[in-house]
Amino acid sequence: MHKILIADKLGQEGLDRLDEMDDISYDVKTGLSKEELIATIGEYDALIVRSSVKPDADILAAGKNLKVVGRAGIGVDNIDIDAATQQGIVVMNTPHANSVATAEQTMTLMLAISRHTAVAHASVLAGEWQRNKFVGRELQGKTLGIVGFGRIGRLVAERAQAFGMNIIAYDPYVSEAVGRHLNVQLVDIDELYSQADYITLHSVLTKETEKLINAESIAQMKKGVIIINVARGKLVDEQALADGVKSGQVAGAALDVFTTEPPENSPLIGLENVLHTPHLGASTAEAQREVAIQMVEQVADVLRGVDYRNALNVPFRAGPDFATIRPYMDLAEKLGKIQHALAPSPIRNIELEVAGEGMEDMVRPVAAALLKGLLKGTHEHINTINAPVLAQQENIKIEQAYDLRQTDYANLISCRAHWNGGSRLIAGVLFGGRTPRVVQVDGFHVEGKPEGNVLIFVNEDVPGVIGQVATILATYGVNIGEWRLGRTAPGGTALNFINLDAVPPTAVLDALRQAKNVGDLYLLDL
């Protein structure tokens, strides 16, 4: 039974969905202090938060059983992703569930700040009727600069175009072709600052984007610009924006998010021509329902090992195709285990080739799984999340290779491991996309089944070796499930790949190593 701790408020629809899962239990414990969370988290397999709980390195380290931290929403700057990755904990969010709600909030604030809606409302409540005081501006014909042209930015563009606005956008990760398709011009950030009448922020928060709106960038903007932020508060230098509003360089600002929430001593609060809302971007009934349901389903899938969609620190693309990719990852992990077991000294470099029709997208997930298998013998807590990080820390290099071997198979994973003074090639396939087989170990061609207890050894290719080995196993009551053998040439050297029904006693291995014509021998648990 998987256990989930829900440490922030989550929509009832998500809890109802969890109640339907027979293999999941959960506790809702909101308002926990950091110390209380550290004392509690160790018994849970998953943690679900929103923005108020901040799983830092200390909390994550206390989560000895944690496999996934789910952020019910988009922004994950409250989660220490590096620490989570180091510990092999998946971090995921729900990037699309509240996109429409956030885009609509953006348009709401854009209209409200342009038409002085909030202050005019307060004026009427105060018994005033001052129409001339609240003359606004129209959106039609104005240029909207969108910083961050992902899903939300594109939804904002569609809605703003309906108001007759001209749209430009800045996003270094989006191609101009995408912009042309949506009738949006992609420009560099300086050009956006100089051309836009309105600027709306939809960028993720990184070290590069923190305080993106600052005194220098505000000075580049058109005089009278209006700034909207429904993304992350730390994208804006609040003092610089306040100074810009006071000077008139910025005609107005509409903010749904702040550097500290709730805002403490912010120079923007109460400032004329600045509109504030308390982080309402995702606060619609529809968005809260979708966020809650998507989050619990994603977390459940990670715990079950069936999917990693919307995971931010998985070293490969996950999603609908994961069911197809996973068998190849399982095979790659077994190849890594075999390489580790057979290597006479620490492996320093891996060449990986993934060959076959439709296999080109398998390289990254296969590489992560291969490293997991390679390092599993020396690391207690390792998975495909932290394996690449740990490999890098140990200076183990992995690179894509070509033509490691010619293949007659529909799919093939080949890896050559290098250590000081030597190397070994091991290759495997999936028959029918499901059945794993090891088909080559250096010059030996076999079709070994990489499952369960496997005995691998080499011997001189002379009569009597097979009978001798079989007799020793029989003497100790060890049954042979399957025996595959390959040899370089008649009378040369042979490699044996034997599946055993049980773990043989140490005495069996000692006897086999003493057997005539038997060379290097290894017992693996695959």
Side-chain angles (χ1 to χ4, degrees), residues 64-122:
K64 299 300 184 183
N65 296 311
L66 269 186
K67 299 173 182 65
V68 55
V69 174
R71 163 66 163 96
I74 300 177
V76 291
D77 47 289
N78 57 315
I79 301 172
D80 190 332
I81 297 180
D82 290 339
T85 302
Q86 183 75 27
Q87 294 180 212
I89 300 170
V90 177
V91 177
M92 54 176 31
N93 63 354
T94 53
H96 307 312
N98 55 11
S99 298
V100 170
T102 304
E104 290 185 356
Q105 175 73 346
T106 301
M107 296 305 300
T108 298
L109 293 183
M110 196 184 306
L111 288 163
I113 191 67
S114 298
R115 301 302 294 270
H116 310 293
T117 303
V119 289
H121 170 76

Side-chain angles (χ1 to χ4, degrees), residues 80-379:
D80 190 332
I81 297 180
D82 290 339
T85 302
Q86 183 75 27
Q87 294 180 212
I89 300 170
V90 177
V91 177
M92 54 176 31
N93 63 354
T94 53
H96 307 312
N98 55 11
S99 298
V100 170
T102 304
E104 290 185 356
Q105 175 73 346
T106 301
M107 296 305 300
T108 298
L109 293 183
M110 196 184 306
L111 288 163
I113 191 67
S114 298
R115 301 302 294 270
H116 310 293
T117 303
V119 289
H121 170 76
S123 174
V124 174
L125 281 180
E128 301 171 348
W129 193 261
Q130 298 178 312
R131 296 174 64 189
N132 292 336
K133 184 178 179 180
F134 303 115
V135 176
R137 65 165 82 176
E138 296 179 1
L139 301 186
Q140 180 170 310
K142 304 301 190 300
T143 297
L144 173 63
I146 301 175
V147 179
F149 202 54
R151 181 175 173 82
I152 295 174
R154 297 174 199 185
L155 290 173
V156 170
E158 292 175 4
R159 284 150 179 76
Q161 285 168 338
F163 282 85
M165 301 187 81
N166 304 312
I167 314 297
I168 58 176
Y170 166 74
D171 194 318
Y173 303 104
V174 175
S175 69
E176 292 184 4
V178 172
R180 286 194 298 271
H181 178 71
L182 298 171
N183 197 27
V184 172
Q185 182 183 3
L186 272 295
V187 298
D188 63 38
I189 191 67
D190 294 333
E191 187 174 354
L192 184 143
Y193 288 152
S194 65
Q195 291 186 15
D197 301 297
Y198 291 78
I199 295 175
T200 179
L201 306 179
H202 300 287
S203 173
V204 296
L205 179 63
T206 64
K207 292 179 181 179
E208 291 73 26
T209 61
E210 186 171 356
K211 294 188 177 180
L212 184 69
I213 302 301
N214 52 47
E216 183 179 350
S217 60
I218 290 172
Q220 294 179 259
M221 297 175 190
K222 292 177 67 173
K223 185 176 179 62
V225 67
I226 289 178
I227 296 173
I228 300 97
N229 186 11
V230 192
R232 310 306 292 172
K234 291 182 180 179
L235 294 173
V236 174
D237 180 332
E238 293 186 354
Q239 185 59 59
L241 180 56
D243 293 341
V245 172
K246 291 175 184 177
S247 71
Q249 173 69 7
V250 179
L255 308 171
D256 187 49
V257 290
F258 301 87
T259 301
T260 302
E261 295 182 357
E264 298 176 0
N265 304 315
S266 172
L268 294 163
I269 301 299
L271 193 63
E272 188 176 0
N273 296 329
V274 177
L275 177 63
H276 321 283
T277 50
H279 204 147
L280 300 179
S283 295
T284 66
E286 296 85 352
Q288 294 303 302
R289 180 179 63 249
E290 288 303 310
V291 164
I293 293 173
Q294 287 188 26
M295 187 76 269
V296 301
E297 290 182 344
Q298 288 177 199
V299 167
D301 282 346
V302 170
L303 294 177
R304 294 164 181 159
V306 299
D307 199 359
Y308 294 83
R309 63 192 179 281
N310 297 325
L312 303 174
N313 60 339
V314 173
F316 53 86
R317 186 177 64 188
D321 296 332
F322 186 70
T324 302
I325 296 172
R326 184 176 178 180
Y328 292 94
M329 294 177 65
D330 292 341
L331 171 61
E333 181 180 341
K334 293 175 186 294
L335 297 181
K337 285 183 178 181
I338 298 172
Q339 286 281 22
H340 170 76
L342 272 56
S345 61
I347 292 172
R348 309 311 326 159
N349 183 55
I350 289 281
E351 295 175 87
L352 171 66
E353 181 179 13
V354 180
E357 185 177 353
M359 295 284 288
E360 57 274 2
D361 293 334
M362 300 278 190
V363 174
R364 292 189 68 192
V366 163
L370 180 68
L371 290 173
K372 175 187 174 184
L374 190 71
L375 297 172
K376 201 165 188 177
T378 54
H379 292 78

Side-chain angles (χ1 to χ4, degrees), residues 254-510:
L255 308 171
D256 187 49
V257 290
F258 301 87
T259 301
T260 302
E261 295 182 357
E264 298 176 0
N265 304 315
S266 172
L268 294 163
I269 301 299
L271 193 63
E272 188 176 0
N273 296 329
V274 177
L275 177 63
H276 321 283
T277 50
H279 204 147
L280 300 179
S283 295
T284 66
E286 296 85 352
Q288 294 303 302
R289 180 179 63 249
E290 288 303 310
V291 164
I293 293 173
Q294 287 188 26
M295 187 76 269
V296 301
E297 290 182 344
Q298 288 177 199
V299 167
D301 282 346
V302 170
L303 294 177
R304 294 164 181 159
V306 299
D307 199 359
Y308 294 83
R309 63 192 179 281
N310 297 325
L312 303 174
N313 60 339
V314 173
F316 53 86
R317 186 177 64 188
D321 296 332
F322 186 70
T324 302
I325 296 172
R326 184 176 178 180
Y328 292 94
M329 294 177 65
D330 292 341
L331 171 61
E333 181 180 341
K334 293 175 186 294
L335 297 181
K337 285 183 178 181
I338 298 172
Q339 286 281 22
H340 170 76
L342 272 56
S345 61
I347 292 172
R348 309 311 326 159
N349 183 55
I350 289 281
E351 295 175 87
L352 171 66
E353 181 179 13
V354 180
E357 185 177 353
M359 295 284 288
E360 57 274 2
D361 293 334
M362 300 278 190
V363 174
R364 292 189 68 192
V366 163
L370 180 68
L371 290 173
K372 175 187 174 184
L374 190 71
L375 297 172
K376 201 165 188 177
T378 54
H379 292 78
E380 182 180 358
H381 301 291
I382 188 164
N383 56 25
T384 52
I385 310 302
N386 61 3
V389 176
L390 295 175
Q392 186 176 30
Q393 291 174 353
E394 296 188 12
N395 295 317
I396 298 174
K397 298 178 181 179
I398 185 165
E399 55 190 277
Q400 187 173 358
Y402 300 92
D403 299 324
L404 285 181
R405 54 158 286 168
Q406 297 296 316
T407 178
D408 295 323
Y409 298 101
N411 57 72
L412 182 77
I413 298 173
S414 302
C415 58
R416 184 180 293 280
H418 297 264
W419 55 87
N420 290 336
S423 68
R424 176 175 286 109
L425 173 69
I426 300 179
V429 301
L430 282 179
F431 291 140
R434 296 184 302 274
T435 306
R437 289 289 185 271
V438 174
V439 295
Q440 183 176 357
V441 178
D442 280 335
F444 303 102
H445 294 270
V446 294
E447 285 191 5
K449 182 187 296 184
E451 296 176 0
N453 304 299
V454 175
L455 192 65
I456 298 176
F457 66 90
V458 294
N459 65 273
E460 295 179 26
D461 185 31
V462 296
V465 174
I466 292 178
Q468 184 183 196
V469 170
T471 298
I472 293 173
L473 292 173
T475 300
Y476 287 89
V478 179
N479 196 47
I480 298 171
E482 192 168 308
W483 190 323
R484 299 287 180 172
L485 183 145
R487 60 184 183 175
T488 54
T493 304
L495 180 133
N496 300 264
F497 198 105
I498 307 175
N499 296 96
L500 304 177
D501 288 347
V503 179
T506 302
V508 172
L509 302 180
D510 292 340

